[in-house]
């Protein structure tokens, strides 16, 4: 029996020796598979019915046939590049002949590119998932060795089902993600400690934070190069970094790799300002002279991190630790989809790694303490599609909601073609395009940018479909995606690392399919500057030196006087995004924003002074001032005594003092203005939109006892001091809610952080806006959900509350989630209460329900259920995928939530929405149905008690005596 190490060593040698058909057979011989003779071949035209695909194939070899049921095929193709669409079509055709499964090896004639593909076919959903390991024999990665080693079998007599399980386990990309994360974290922590020692806390305040940020920044820069070298943009060399490193080793220089080689690559070559260096060999000078003009901010020197702190990294650390780590992984520029999974490090994996990293970094001891969990691409796709279909429905009146759902959710070529042709015949596609061009989307807790990337990919796919029907338009992936980022997408996150990773993800998406010539790569900056699109800041609290100024930008006079300046500023931001604003940097534009802000503060101060003057006159005798009654009418206040007037005067004077202090601070060069929604995204709120069209995201899940300012570090305070900081921050959150939407809806002290994101996020929408979050489902059932339930019922038209009984959305997170879709909270109470909200429980994974038929049926299910008609529940809309659809008027939820207190006053109490309408056992509904004639209400026969395990699930105790009588 061979050891694991011996197997890996032999596999490595065999992979590096791949050069002909026989070498593939040798590999599988060693892996202990019963291989056939190379003469077992098939003619593609006879084996595959599709002539178009068979013409691309030279020959098909049968390497092995396990238990005479599961074959391993080697398919030699004519094309030098193996396209995914071709592999998918051929795989589907081969599976028709081999229903028990297969393992396929695709290779070109010279065996320069070898793709080992494991197809997993789901007969029920008719969906084919391809897991692929792409191998370059000249560049074998550790992942290649490990995956192939893991399909080694000890016993040739194993049943084909057991061997298929071995393959399934070996081609699991999650294992690659976990290993990459563990090793990345080790490198990250190692570098961070080095940087802390270089600039210790006793010399530098925030030393830990700066070290943390620079470790992220440096690794981001390196990782981006590992991705783009796969595009052959650096001397057509897929392994440019290794070439660069080997040249340095041969140069004879010592301790100059970081300062004189890497920094020149980062800040000169990628910014199109490289000058030849005497210490570079001619080949390196030539490569860097022709390097792509990236720009974008990633390769721009950071004033504090790069220049002021001047961190350094030794040659030994770079050569023996950092580069070996990156070199051991295959980086692929194609981001995986649910049905196309490459067993490699893709851009989405980078997002997962970073969001996992934040939960255990920055001196956090408990996994998940930061409350940040990566949202899987399927949930992202579902939420994006729900949001866009509702947005289109809100803005286009002459297209049916059914057709809009079909347009957005169509997921196969036939269905896409049918709906697109129908809409084109009716001259509706252009109308859809105009609305999609105009859409404004924000993720207020964007993390590593998964929703921004999801929206960009979805919008670009729609544009690609629409452009097919317009002869005047052409589709270029890079141009379309860049325009979408520029016009449609915005993000905010309190974490500096998150902003940078979100930028990295969007940049990678831009270059994935980009096919630009060398001249084009150098003629203009390839990466847009995202500084004003994704911003760092606290989405919930916007303060200036501890003061919330309660800024109101709705004043028509201010908007009128500032509109011209704002339009001009927005034009300059667009030019900056495109890297076309010469001689102006980010700081200059931020100063212009601050100038705009100061103008508003001065206008507000002028208004307060006018109000103060009137109030002060009112405290004088009538002969000396205006009539007392006139003052009251002027200010519309019920201030009937001098003391109340004086209190109001004092309050206004304090507010004026705060404004003066803020203006003074803003004018100071050293002062960095904090994030503020109406300043940083002023064009959204003050020009045409007056709010975002879509607010979407996965806000951090932080329990109430852990809520604290994200940028403060617990270790900088004593235990009592930290307790005070947390209490003050939570009080600010509650006061902000009171100020924005009223005391009535203020969450109690037990509310988790995501509740505040609900209430603040809804305020960011314009009147036709759409809101979609994935969060813990606890607000549906527990006490602190009271305020948000009441607010939603009275102010918001809720569309969907979606649950899934098959799978938890957040792997590794001990929380159950729901996906919600709401409309903007700018409706009358009566209209909100008349709205029908649909509680939907899927019993299959979300990737199995993402189709137009299901969501069209759910949309149509509008049976109105009242207290007297609970038995009209729809419980089996689609027995294959949906467990329950429960449409219910908000009015009935509202009535059912009220109780009478001891003083005879009706008060809304938290209702058990999840327990009743999503997770209730079948007996719950059986009782309702049996009680149809007698109109027996549930509360007459059952007592609902909170579950003792999760805190959110419900147990139902039926009263036997009541059931007998009933």
């Amino acid at each position: 029996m061979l050891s694991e190490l011996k197997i890996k060593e032999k596999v490595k040698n065999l992979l590096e020796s791949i050069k002909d058909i026989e070498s593939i057979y040798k590999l599988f011989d060693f892996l202990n598979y019963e291989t056939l003779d190379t003469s077992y071949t098939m003619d593609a035209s006879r084996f595959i019915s599709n002539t178009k695909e068979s013409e691309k194939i030279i020959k098909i070899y049968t390497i092995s046939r396990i238990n005479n049921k599961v074959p391993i095929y080697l398919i030699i193709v004519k094309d030098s590049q193996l396209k995914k669409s071709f592999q998918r079509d051929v795989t589907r055709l081969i599976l028709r002949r081999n229903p028990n499964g297969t393992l396929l090896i695709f290779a070109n004639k010279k065996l320069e590119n070898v793709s080992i593909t494991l197809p997993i076919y789901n007969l029920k959903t008719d969906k084919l998932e391809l897991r692929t390991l792409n191998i370059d024999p000249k560049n074998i990665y550790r992942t290649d060795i490990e995956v192939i080693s893991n399909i080694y079998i000890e016993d040739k007599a194993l049943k084909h089902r057991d061997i298929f399980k071995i393959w399934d386990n070996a081609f699991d990309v999650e294992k690659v993600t976990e290993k990459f994360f563990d090793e990345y974290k080790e490198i990250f922590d190692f570098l961070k400690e080095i940087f802390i020692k270089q600039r210790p806390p006793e010399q530098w305040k925030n030393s830990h934070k700066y070290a943390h940020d620079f470790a992220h920044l440096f690794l981001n820069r390196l990782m981006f190069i590992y991705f783009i070298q796969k595009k052959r943009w650096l001397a057509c060399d897929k392994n440019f970094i290794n070439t660069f490193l080997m040249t340095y080793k041969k140069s004879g220089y010592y301790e100059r790799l970081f300062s004189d080689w890497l920094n020149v690559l980062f800040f000169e070559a990628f910014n199109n300002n490289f000058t030849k260096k005497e210490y570079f060999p001619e080949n390196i000078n030539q490569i860097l002279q022709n390097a792509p003009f990236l720009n974008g901010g990633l390769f721009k020197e950071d004033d504090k991190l790069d220049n002021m702190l001047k961190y350094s990294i030794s040659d030994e650390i770079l050569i023996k630790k950092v580069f070996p780590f990156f070199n051991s992984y295959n980086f692929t520029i194609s981001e995986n989809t649910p049905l196309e999974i490459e067993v490699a490090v893709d851009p989405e994996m980078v997002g997962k790694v970073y969001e996992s990293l934040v939960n255990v970094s920055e001196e956090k001891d408990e996994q998940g303490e930061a409350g940040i969990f990566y949202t899987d691409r399927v949930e992202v796709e579902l939420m994006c599609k729900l949001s866009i279909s509702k947005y289109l429905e809100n803005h286009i009146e002459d297209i049916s909601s059914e057709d809009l759902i079909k347009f957005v959710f169509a997921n196969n070529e036939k269905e896409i073609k049918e709906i697109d042709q129908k809409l084109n015949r009716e001259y509706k596609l252009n109308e859809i395009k105009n609305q999609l061009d105009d859409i404004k989307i924000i993720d207020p807790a964007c993390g590593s940018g998964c929703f921004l990337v999801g929206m960009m990919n979805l919008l670009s796919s729609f544009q690609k479909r629409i452009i097919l029907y317009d002869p005047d338009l052409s589709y270029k992936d890079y141009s379309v995606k860049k325009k979408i980022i520029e016009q449609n997408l915005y993000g905010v996150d309190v974490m500096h690392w998150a902003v940078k990773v979100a930028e990295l993800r969007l940049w990678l998406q831009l270059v994935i399919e980009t096919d630009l010539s060398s001249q084009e790569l150098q003629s203009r900056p390839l990466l847009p500057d995202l500084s004003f699109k994704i911003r760092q800041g606290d989405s919930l609290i916007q303060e200036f030196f501890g003061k919330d100024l309660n800024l109101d930008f709705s004043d028509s006079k201010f908007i009128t006087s500032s509109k011209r300046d704002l339009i001009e500023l927005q034009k300059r931001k667009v030019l900056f995004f495109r890297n076309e604003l010469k001689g102006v940097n980010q700081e200059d534009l931020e100063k212009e924003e601050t100038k705009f802000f100061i103008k508003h503060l001065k206008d507000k101060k002028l208004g307060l002074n006018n109000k103060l003057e009137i109030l002060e006159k009112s405290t004088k005798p009538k002969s000396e001032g205006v009539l007392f009654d006139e003052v009251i009418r002027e200010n519309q206040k019920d201030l009937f005594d001098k003391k109340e007037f004086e209190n109001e005067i004092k309050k206004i004077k304090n507010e004026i003092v705060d404004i003066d202090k803020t203006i003074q601070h803003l004018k100071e060069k050293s002062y960095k203005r904090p994030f503020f929604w109406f300043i940083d995204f002023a064009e959204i709120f003050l020009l045409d939109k007056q709010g975002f069209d879509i607010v979407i995201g996965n806000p951090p899940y932080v329990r109430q006892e852990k809520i604290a300012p994200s940028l403060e570090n617990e270790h900088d305070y004593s235990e009592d001091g930290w307790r005070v900081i947390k209490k003050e921050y939570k009080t600010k959150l509650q006061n902000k809610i009171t100020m924005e939407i009223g005391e009535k809806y203020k969450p109690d002290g037990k509310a988790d952080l995501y509740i505040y994101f609900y209430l603040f996020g809804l305020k960011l929408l314009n009147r036709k806006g759409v809101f979609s979050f994935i969060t813990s489902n606890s607000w549906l059932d527990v006490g602190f959900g009271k305020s948000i339930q009441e607010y939603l019922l009275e102010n918001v038209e809720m569309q969907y509350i979606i649950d899934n009984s098959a799978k938890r959305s957040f792997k590794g997170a001990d929380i159950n989630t729901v996906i919600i879709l709401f409309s903007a909270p700018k409706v009358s109470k009566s209209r909100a209460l008349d709205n029908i909200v649909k509680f939907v429980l899927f019993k299959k994974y979300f990737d199995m329900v993402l189709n137009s038929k299901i969501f069209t049926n759910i949309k149509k299910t509008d049976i109105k259920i009242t207290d007297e008609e609970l038995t009209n529940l729809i419980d089996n809309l689609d027995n294959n995928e949906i467990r329950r659809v429960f449409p219910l008027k908000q009015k009935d939820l509202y009535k059912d939530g009220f109780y009478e207190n001891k003083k005879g006053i009706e008060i809304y109490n938290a209702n058990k929405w999840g327990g009743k309408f999503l997770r209730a056992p079948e007996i719950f509904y059986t009782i309702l149905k049996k009680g149809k004639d007698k109109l027996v209400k549930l509360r007459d026969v059952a007592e609902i008690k909170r579950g003792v395990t999760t805190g959110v699930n419900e147990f139902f105790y039926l009263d036997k005596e009541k059931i007998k009588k009933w």
Side-chain angles (χ1 to χ4, degrees), residues 607-647:
L608 288 171
N609 278 325
N610 291 337
K611 186 176 179 181
L612 182 63
E613 184 180 349
I614 293 171
L615 287 172
E616 286 179 333
K617 285 181 181 179
S618 70
T619 61
K620 299 177 182 178
K622 291 183 181 179
S623 60
E624 296 181 26
V626 295
L627 292 175
F628 188 83
D629 290 342
E630 290 176 0
V631 176
I632 293 173
R633 284 198 301 272
E634 176 90 22
N635 294 279
Q636 295 180 338
K637 291 182 179 294
D638 295 322
L639 302 174
F640 293 106
D641 59 60
K642 185 177 177 181
K643 187 175 181 181
E644 288 187 62
F645 266 76
E646 288 174 346
N647 287 337

Side-chain angles (χ1 to χ4, degrees), residues 103-115:
L103 187 69
L104 303 176
I105 300 113
F106 291 90
N108 57 16
K109 192 174 181 180
K110 295 181 180 179
L111 274 74
E112 297 164 316
N113 298 297
V114 179
S115 292

Side-chain angles (χ1 to χ4, degrees), residues 16 48 305 437 455 477 492 510 521 524 559 567 586 770 779 798 800 888 954:
E16 289 174 338
I48 297 176
L305 299 179
D437 284 343
M455 278 295 190
D477 193 86
V492 177
L510 273 180
L521 289 173
R524 61 186 180 191
I559 294 174
I567 291 172
Q586 180 181 339
V770 181
W779 69 274
M798 293 181 280
Y800 299 117
L888 189 65
E954 306 296 339

Side-chain angles (χ1 to χ4, degrees), residues 138 235 318 339 360 662 805 822 833 952:
K138 293 180 181 178
L318 288 169
L339 302 179
V360 292
T662 302
S805 63
F822 297 159
L833 291 177
V952 294

Side-chain angles (χ1 to χ4, degrees), residues 66-77:
I66 300 160
N67 302 154
N68 208 33
K69 290 187 176 182
V70 175
I72 300 175
Y73 291 123
L74 171 61
I75 302 164
I76 305 297
V77 302

Side-chain angles (χ1 to χ4, degrees), residues 13-20 23-24 27 111 114 135 137:
N13 291 333
L14 288 168
L15 289 175
E16 289 174 338
S17 303
I18 290 177
K19 60 180 185 235
D20 52 29
S23 58
I24 301 283
L27 174 64
L111 274 74
V114 179
I135 295 173

Side-chain angles (χ1 to χ4, degrees), residues 214 217-222 225 244 257-275 277 279-280 288-289 291-308 310-313:
F214 191 72
L217 183 60
F218 176 71
L219 293 175
N220 271 0
R221 287 166 175 166
L222 271 188
I225 299 172
F244 193 71
L257 179 57
F258 177 77
S259 59
D260 293 346
W261 287 61
L262 286 176
N263 281 347
V264 168
L265 174 65
F266 294 160
F267 307 133
E268 291 188 29
F270 291 149
N271 285 285
N272 209 25
N273 62 358
F274 174 76
T275 55
K277 311 296 180 205
Y279 56 85
F280 279 164
L288 299 193
Q289 189 75 51
F293 185 6
L294 297 179
N295 202 351
L298 181 61
F299 296 104
K300 181 168 63 178
E301 288 183 274
D302 185 287
D303 287 341
K304 182 159 284 181
L305 299 179
D306 288 305
N307 296 330
M308 187 183 297
K310 294 188 181 299
Y311 293 114
S312 62
I313 309 174

